[in-house]
Each structure stands twice: as C-alpha cells, then as structure tokens.
Amino acid sequence: MILPVVGFAPVLPVRARVLVLGTLPSVASLTQQQYYAHPRNAFWPIMAELLEFDASLPYARRVEQLRRHGVALWDVCQSAQRSGSLDAAIKAQGLVANDIAGLLALQPSIRGVLLNGAAAATLFRRWVAPTLAPRHASLPRWTLPSTSPANATISVRQKVREWSKISRYLSGV
C-alpha cells in the first residue's frame, strides 16, 4: 500500500555551516519521530565519529551536537507518497519539496550542501535546484554514500571517509 509520508522540521543551528539533506524519513524514523532512527542506519555513528561525540547519546543530545558543530539537517521532500522506506519507492506524483531555497536565504552562513545518497541528489536536482537563487545554486554540493542500511555496497569505514568532507565546512565553528 502506498501511504502519504510527511517529513520533519529542520534541525537548525543558530549559524549553520553545512546543510545535510536526506530524502524522506523512513518508517522507523516516523515511528520514533527522529531523524535516522533505524538502528542500522550509519548516520549517527558517522556523525559521532566525525564530530567527536558519543553515538549512544539520547536523540536530543545527538541533535544538539549537530547544532553545536553548525550542521543543519533536513530532507529534500516535505511530503510524498511511498510504500515502505526505500527511496526508490518515493512517487514523483504529489511530491512536495521542502523550502530549501528559503532555508538557505535565512541561513547565509551555510557554505556547502551534503546530499545523503544518490536519491537525495536526484530529488534535489529535480525539485530544489531550479528554485535556488544564483548565489545558492553555486554552493558546493556533494553527493555522499547513503547512510541507509539498504546501501550495503560499501562499508561504514568507507562511508566515514567520504562523509569526512563535512569537516571542510565546519572550520571556524
């Protein structure tokens, strides 16, 4: 069955340096009302290693660590229809993108956009990029390996290496 899915509000530090964009919360995330809640999703272990905090902290404290380091977190999709949790199941018909152009206008300190996987990059190019002001369209953008447990083609170690690109945006925080 295809169900409508509505995403979360963004995680916003006072002065964000980098914006990390996923696609749409998984079933586990929606159930727990937490970004990247699936126990095998590598997002929190990767962030914990790169930002030097304990991945086992309660969710609110992990989110606070992102904010403290200048990491904004959101999804490309505000809402969409999807069966299950796989990005490939997101239906284009009826998809509503988040106002990322508006977020970037309100957060001029953002210096780069990191896309959590190829699906986030594809959705960003189709639904968000055409709405961006020239100044924001020219921000550095990286498509990183998805942290989803469905992306088992590369190891968590390899994902950490790729995701370490985040550090170039966080200096001076």
Side-chain angles (χ1 to χ4, degrees):
M1 175 176 17
I2 298 174
L3 300 172
V5 178
V6 178
F8 304 140
V11 168
L12 287 177
V14 173
R15 284 184 36 87
R17 299 288 188 145
V18 65
L19 173 60
V20 175
L21 292 171
T23 55
L24 194 62
S26 70
V27 172
S29 291
L30 291 166
T31 300
Q32 296 181 47
Q33 290 294 291
Q34 298 179 3
Y35 279 102
Y36 303 106
H38 192 286
R40 289 192 347 256
N41 191 299
F43 179 80
W44 290 111
I46 290 169
M47 289 296 105
E49 182 168 337
L50 296 174
L51 303 178
E52 299 178 345
F53 66 87
D54 183 352
S56 68
L57 288 171
Y59 178 73
R61 294 205 37 219
R62 286 181 276 149
V63 167
E64 184 50 41
Q65 287 297 316
L66 293 183
R67 286 188 177 112
R68 188 171 76 79
H69 285 90
V71 178
L73 182 60
W74 211 9
D75 286 312
V76 173
C77 301
Q78 176 187 38
S79 63
Q81 292 186 356
R82 180 186 66 204
S83 174
S85 292
L86 294 178
D87 290 341
I90 295 171
K91 304 296 180 197
Q93 183 178 1
L95 186 148
V96 176
N98 274 315
D99 183 13
I100 294 164
L103 181 140
L104 291 171
L106 292 172
Q107 291 276 335
S109 55
I110 291 177
R111 303 186 315 195
V113 176
L114 302 180
L115 298 155
N116 190 347
T122 299
L123 290 168
F124 184 92
R125 278 191 303 275
R126 179 167 181 202
W127 297 93
V128 176
T131 70
L132 296 178
R135 174 169 91 82
H136 299 127
S138 65
L139 282 172
R141 198 178 319 150
W142 295 91
T143 301
L144 299 173
S146 173
T147 61
S148 167
N151 179 19
T153 59
I154 66 172
S155 70
V156 173
R157 294 288 352 125
Q158 291 171 297
K159 290 178 185 182
V160 168
R161 278 194 296 279
E162 288 295 314
W163 276 81
S164 69
K165 289 178 172 77
I166 198 169
S167 63
R168 71 182 64 185
Y169 302 106
L170 301 179
S171 61
V173 173

